[in-house]
C-alpha cells in the first residue's frame, strides 16, 4: 500500500520528515474547521457508511480538482474492513489492515478534524485531498469517526497470485532514473513551488548501493523511515557506500508495484517532487527490497540523490 517519505537536501544531515504524511506511514492530516463551500451531493443511505457514500458521490461528479476540471472516477466498493481499521499515531497502515483481514496492494488514509457531520467533513476533504479521493489506484473505501476526527481509508486489494519474478534491482533503479529525467526535462510545480527544467541526473553505483541497503533493511524488518534500524540516516549510508557528498537527499516509498508507479507517487507529493526537480543534485541511485514473509511481497523503494564534493 503505497506510502512516501522525503528527506530534504542540506550541507549536513538533518532529521527526516515527511510532507503531507505527518503522523502515519500513509496518512495525510488537516486540522481545521470546514469553510463555507458549495454543498456536495447527499450520501446514499443504503450504503451504511455516509462518508464513504459521499466519496463515491464526489467521484461521480467531482467538478474541479486543484482548480482544474476533473473527470469522473469509477465508484469504490465499500468494504467493512476499511471502516473497522483504526489508525493511531505511529500505526503502520499495512499492519493495521492485515489485522482486520484485508490484504492490500495499495492503501492510503486521509483525515480531517473539526467538522460536525459527514457532509462538512467531505467538503474539507474534497478541497484538500481531491487527487487522493479521485485516484484510480484504489478500488475500495471505508470511513470511521473518532470524536471530532473523520478518517477515509482507500485501498486496492492485493492480487490473489504473487508475481513470479522481480526485475534485477539495478534495472529497476535505472528505470526510476529514466522516469526522473523525463520529469526534470520540463518545468513543474511541486505544490506551491515552481521549478524550472533541470539537467538530467547520472546513475551512480555507490548511491544505488546505499539505496539497496536501505530498501532491503526496511523490507526485512518491516519499518518505514529514513532512519534505518541501525540509526543511520541517508547521509551516513551514502558515506558508507564510499560516496563523498556535498548535498544529499532521499525519497522512500512502499507498496508501488513498478518504478513508474513509484515515481508518479513521488511527483504527486510536493516534498518528494522538490527532491526530484532540485537542480543542485547531479547524480542518483535507486533500488527496491521485497518483504520475505509474504508470497505476494510488499516492495520498498529508495531513491538517493546527491552532488559530489
Amino acid at each position: 500500500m503505497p506510502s512516501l517519505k522525503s528527506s530534504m537536501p542540506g550541507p549536513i544531515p538533518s532529521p527526516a520528515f515527511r510532507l503531507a504524511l505527518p503522523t502515519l506511514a500513509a496518512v495525510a492530516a488537516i486540522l481545521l474547521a470546514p469553510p463555507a463551500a458549495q454543498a456536495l451531493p447527499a450520501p446514499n443511505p443504503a450504503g451504511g457508511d455516509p462518508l464513504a457514500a459521499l466519496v463515491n458521490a464526489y467521484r461521480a461528479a467531482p467538478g474541479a480538482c486543484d482548480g482544474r476540471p476533473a473527470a469522473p472516477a469509477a465508484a469504490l466498493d465499500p468494504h467493512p474492513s476499511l471502516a473497522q481499521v483504526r489508525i493511531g499515531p505511529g500505526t503502520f497502515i499495512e499492519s493495521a489492515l492485515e489485522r482486520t483481514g484485508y490484504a492490500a496492494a495499495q492503501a492510503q488514509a486521509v483525515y480531517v478534524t473539526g467538522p460536525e457531520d459527514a457532509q462538512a467533513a467531505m467538503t474539507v476533504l474534497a478541497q484538500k485531498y481531491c487527487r487522493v479521493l479521485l485516484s484510480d489506484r484504489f478500488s475500495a473505501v471505508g470511513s470511521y469517526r473518532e470524536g471530532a476526527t473523520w478518517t477515509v481509508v482507500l485501498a486496492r486489494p492485493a492480487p490473489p497470485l504473487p508475481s513470479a519474478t522481480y526485475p534485477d534491482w539495478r534495472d529497476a533503479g535505472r528505470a526510476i532514473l529514466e522516469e526522473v529525467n523525463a520529469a526534470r526535462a520540463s518545468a513543474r510545480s511541486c505544490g506551491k513551488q515552481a521549478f524550472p527544467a533541470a539537467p538530467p541526473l547520472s546513475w551512480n553505483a555507490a548511491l544505488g548501493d546505499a539505496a539497496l541497503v536501505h530498501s532491503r533493511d526496511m523490507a526485512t524488518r518491516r519499518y518505514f523511515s529514513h532512519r534505518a534500524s541501525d540509526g543511520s540516516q541517508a547521509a551516513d549510508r551514502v558515506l558508507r557506500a564510499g560516496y563523498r557528498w556535498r548535498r544529499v537527499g532521499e525519497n522512500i516509498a512502499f507498496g508501488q508495484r513498478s518504478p513508474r508507479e513509484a515515481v508518479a507517487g513521488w511527483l504527486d507529493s510536493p516534498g518528494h517532487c522538490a527532491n526530484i526537480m532540485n537542480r543542485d543534485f547531479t547524480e542518483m541511485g535507486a533500488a527496491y527490497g521485497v518483504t520475505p514473509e509474504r508470497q505476494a511481497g510488499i516492495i520498498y523503494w529508495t531513491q538517493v540523490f546527491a552532488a559530489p564534493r
Side-chain angles (χ1 to χ4, degrees):
M1 42 255 38
S3 187
L4 313 168
K5 285 187 182 179
S6 63
S7 177
M8 302 300 289
I12 59 174
S14 60
F17 67 97
R18 70 191 85 177
L19 293 179
L21 306 175
T23 58
L24 309 178
V27 174
I30 177 94
L31 306 177
L32 46 79
Q38 182 179 359
L40 294 165
N44 177 4
D49 186 339
L51 191 50
L54 278 168
V55 170
N56 275 333
Y58 174 67
R59 286 171 68 92
C65 176
D66 290 340
R68 297 181 179 180
L76 303 173
D77 295 327
H79 197 288
S81 291
L82 304 186
Q84 293 165 4
V85 68
R86 292 297 181 265
I87 308 169
T91 300
F92 196 34
I93 189 171
E94 178 204 9
S95 300
L97 284 171
E98 286 184 349
R99 286 194 293 270
T100 71
Y102 189 98
Q106 300 195 46
Q108 188 166 349
V110 291
Y111 66 91
V112 59
T113 296
E116 296 182 357
D117 56 42
Q119 184 78 53
M122 185 64 217
T123 298
V124 180
L125 290 167
Q127 290 174 340
K128 299 297 181 181
Y129 305 116
C130 60
R131 289 189 181 185
V132 176
L133 296 174
L134 295 174
S135 175
D136 61 4
R137 296 181 290 123
F138 308 115
S139 60
V141 64
S143 75
Y144 64 90
R145 180 183 184 181
E146 288 186 319
T149 299
W150 301 77
T151 301
V152 173
V153 182
L154 304 104
R156 189 182 74 199
L161 296 175
S163 299
T165 59
Y166 293 99
D168 182 84
W169 71 268
R170 297 171 190 83
D171 294 336
R174 289 184 178 276
I176 287 176
L177 177 65
E178 290 179 6
E179 295 286 337
V180 165
N181 282 338
R184 286 168 66 95
S186 301
R188 180 179 299 269
S189 292
C190 299
K192 296 181 179 180
Q193 187 175 6
F195 287 85
L201 299 171
S202 300
W203 177 263
N204 183 276
L207 298 180
D209 289 342
L212 179 65
V213 166
H214 193 49
S215 289
R216 288 184 173 174
D217 190 49
M218 287 192 294
T220 300
R221 299 177 182 272
R222 293 297 291 275
Y223 69 91
F224 184 59
S225 174
H226 292 291
R227 183 179 294 277
S229 59
D230 63 0
S232 66
Q233 296 280 6
D236 305 314
R237 295 186 288 273
V238 168
L239 284 173
R240 288 177 191 170
Y243 187 102
R244 292 179 58 81
W245 54 270
R246 178 172 52 85
R247 297 181 66 87
V248 63
E250 181 180 77
N251 286 345
I252 59 175
F254 77 89
Q256 295 83 358
R257 306 300 296 183
S258 70
R260 176 169 293 180
E261 190 175 316
V263 174
W266 285 323
L267 288 173
D268 280 343
S269 175
H272 307 85
C273 176
N275 271 347
I276 289 174
M277 296 301 297
N278 190 334
R279 62 189 303 113
D280 290 335
F281 291 133
T282 59
E283 296 179 306
M284 195 200 85
Y288 70 87
V290 183
T291 54
E293 68 272 22
R294 275 181 54 176
Q295 276 190 315
I298 300 296
I299 304 179
Y300 288 73
W301 304 89
T302 303
Q303 177 183 42
V304 182
F305 307 89
R309 286 186 178 180

